[in-house]
Structure formats: C-alpha cells, structure tokens
Amino acid sequence: MAVRVLRARGAAWAGGLLRRAAPCSLLPRLRTWTSSSNRSREDSWLKSLFVRKVDPRKDAHSNLLAKKETSNLYKLQFHNVKPECLEAYNKICQEVLPKIHEDKHYPCTLVGTWNTWYGEQDQAVHLWRYEGGYPALTEVMSKLRENKEFLEFRKARSDMLLSRKNQLLLEFSFWNEPVPRSGPNIYELRSYQLRPGTMIEWGNYWARAIRFRQDGNEAVGGFFSQIGQLYMVHHLWAYRDLQTREDIRNAAWHKHGWEELVYYTVPLIQEMESRIMIPLKTSPLQ
C-alpha cells in the first residue's frame, strides 16, 4: 500500500511540474504532436510493407506475356569449359550440333551457339528452339537417348566441362523472333534477375521500350524463364562491334521517353549481367 501511495504522489508531482513548465495553451499542441508522431511512424511502417501496388492477376504471366501464335519453347544452355579444353569442345560441338539442327526428325532448331568473349570466361552458350513446346522437347530428348553419336558426344563433352546449367524459356510477344542473320556480328546477352512478382510490370514497360531499340536491327530476341532460375529475363542483341554497341546505346538516351522507361524498370531488377559473345562458325546467328 505504501508503494502505491508513493507512485501516485510521484505521478501527481510530475503532472504538476509539466503543467507549471508548459503553459496551458501548449498542452493540446503537445498532445497533438505526440499523436501525429505516432501516426507518422505507423504510416511509415505500413508503407514499408506495401511499396508497390500490384494488380491482382487471373492468369499466369506466361499466358499474358508469351506469343499466342506460336508454341515455341527455348532452352538456354551455359557450359563452363576447362580452359585447356575450349578448342576441342568447340570442335565437337561444331561437328555434332548442326546435324541435330538439320535433321527433320528432331522438332528443334539451333538458334545460336557462342563463346563468351567478355563476362564469364571459357564459357559456351547455346540457344535451342523446340517447335511444339514441351511435347517437342520430350520427343527430342527421347530420340537423343537412342542416338549413338550424340551419346558419344555427351561422354566426350563431360570430360571437358567444369559445370553446366540450363533454363527453359518463352519468348516475349513484343520481341522479334530470332532468325538466322549474316555476320560478322558480336552478340550481347543481357540477363536480368527480377524481383518476384514484377514480370508483368517488366513486360508492360518493355512492350513500349523495344520500339526505341529497333532502328539498327540490333534486337534479336527477348525471353523469360519458366524452368530453372525463375524471374529471369534475357535480351539478346547483335552489333557490328563494341563501338557500334556503344553508339546505339547512347543514341537511345536522346529519344524522348527512353529515360522514363529505364527509370521505372530499374527498381524491378535484383541483379543484372552482360555477356559479349562471339558466334561459332556453324551458328545460324553470325
């Protein structure tokens, strides 16, 4: 009981001191400031949870962004080769891969095959297209398991590799479809790891942005991942040389609207990477 009395007296003394120190006209302001400060902190915390309003979707982004007129599926392969084996690796690839590409029994096309020049070194990149989607992919894989030459190729290749990975991709509806082109060209593969849930926004912005990058016929293809590393976007570009690349990219900044689209797409990206690649002699993209 004595403790309670002391606490009550202390609270009364503190309240009296506050009233004596601050004029009565300031007390409502102090209460208002305290309440406003609390609300500001609460609002700031809530906003940190909801940075971006995302519209609810009633369909998969693959159905909203991919080309409707085709059912093409793409496979992108990255092979990290032992440095001392790169020449031998390129040789067997140029002997075997074109045979699969040209064989009508395989519903697939070799879109392009490259070595990385700038970026991750001693790396080979292959891009395949499967006409007919997943059933075509399954058919090709099944037939290759019965292809003796391909099995020997895979065994020889395995001794030359340090690591490998692949992704299955769809192509954006607003991008060019990759078609063979003559050279000589260098190719840039720009890869973007997007924040989960932002693929629709990316597609909406780039559906407008791509028109700023068509003047020099540099746009080859644009893809987004379905299996493998998810929320990945790959843009493939062709240039005559590195200086042409620099000139074309700088020219885009002088076009009204380009800077705004870049401004809105950058926050969607978690990581990005650029590879400059040189096509092998048997690549349809030269």
Side-chain angles (χ1 to χ4, degrees):
M1 179 64 72
V3 173
R4 290 179 182 174
V5 171
L6 287 174
R7 286 178 178 171
R9 289 177 180 173
W13 177 83
L17 180 62
L18 178 61
R19 284 192 291 273
R20 287 194 296 273
C24 292
S25 60
L26 290 180
L27 288 176
R29 297 179 189 176
L30 286 170
R31 294 190 190 100
T32 302
W33 178 84
T34 303
S35 177
S36 298
S37 178
N38 288 337
R39 280 199 302 272
S40 297
R41 285 195 294 270
E42 290 172 3
D43 290 345
S44 176
W45 179 75
L46 286 171
K47 287 178 181 177
S48 70
L49 293 179
F50 304 101
V51 176
R52 183 185 297 107
K53 184 178 183 298
V54 178
D55 295 332
R57 301 291 174 184
K58 296 182 179 180
D59 204 351
H61 65 243
S62 57
N63 293 332
L64 296 171
L65 295 172
K67 291 185 177 179
K68 300 294 190 298
E69 63 273 17
T70 67
S71 57
N72 290 335
L73 181 70
Y74 290 82
K75 179 167 69 176
L76 185 62
Q77 298 174 302
F78 299 98
H79 291 175
N80 293 316
V81 185
K82 296 175 182 177
E84 67 274 15
C85 296
L86 186 59
E87 186 175 347
Y89 172 91
N90 288 339
K91 184 175 183 296
I92 63 171
C93 284
Q94 291 181 107
E95 290 172 353
V96 176
L97 300 188
K99 294 180 181 178
I100 300 171
H101 167 74
E102 295 165 2
D103 192 331
K104 301 303 181 184
H105 291 93
Y106 294 97
C108 64
T109 302
L110 180 62
V111 177
T113 178
W114 304 268
N115 287 156
T116 300
W117 185 22
Y118 289 104
E120 196 160 355
Q121 296 293 283
D122 302 309
Q123 185 180 70
V125 180
H126 309 290
L127 181 62
W128 291 88
R129 177 170 54 230
Y130 297 88
E131 295 89 358
Y134 291 107
L137 172 67
T138 302
E139 180 183 347
V140 170
M141 295 298 103
S142 177
K143 288 181 176 179
L144 287 178
R145 282 194 288 269
E146 305 298 325
N147 185 323
K148 183 178 179 181
E149 183 181 18
F150 181 77
L151 294 177
E152 291 174 354
F153 159 76
R154 285 194 60 175
K155 186 176 184 302
R157 186 188 67 182
S158 65
D159 294 331
M160 304 177 185
L161 296 181
L162 293 170
S163 65
R164 60 192 179 106
K165 68 175 182 178
N166 58 27
Q167 295 176 359
L168 294 181
L169 316 169
L170 295 177
E171 56 185 330
F172 284 111
S173 60
F174 48 84
W175 266 81
N176 311 353
E177 182 168 327
V179 295
R181 64 172 67 197
S182 57
N185 294 295
I186 63 170
Y187 289 81
E188 180 177 21
L189 182 65
R190 296 179 70 87
S191 302
Y192 304 88
Q193 176 68 62
L194 301 188
R195 298 181 183 279
T198 62
M199 186 66 75
I200 295 294
E201 290 177 81
W202 179 274
N204 288 339
Y205 287 126
W206 263 96
R208 289 178 283 158
I210 191 62
R211 71 178 189 270
F212 294 103
R213 298 295 309 276
Q214 296 282 16
D215 294 348
N217 194 33
E218 69 268 21
V220 178
F223 314 92
F224 59 98
S225 63
Q226 289 290 282
I227 295 179
Q229 192 168 347
L230 298 179
Y231 285 97
M232 284 292 299
V233 168
H234 301 283
H235 291 174
L236 184 61
W237 308 91
Y239 303 101
R240 189 169 67 249
D241 50 41
L242 288 174
Q243 186 58 54
T244 303
R245 170 189 176 274
E246 181 76 2
D247 294 341
I248 290 175
R249 289 178 56 80
N250 286 340
W253 289 98
H254 298 288
K255 298 176 182 178
H256 178 70
W258 172 254
E259 73 287 347
E260 180 183 359
L261 292 167
V262 172
Y263 175 83
Y264 284 114
T265 54
V266 166
L268 309 180
I269 302 170
Q270 284 186 329
E271 292 182 29
M272 57 188 298
E273 182 179 7
S274 169
R275 291 176 175 85
I276 302 297
M277 307 183 302
I278 303 297
L280 299 187
K281 292 179 181 179
T282 53
S283 175
L285 287 170
Q286 283 295 308

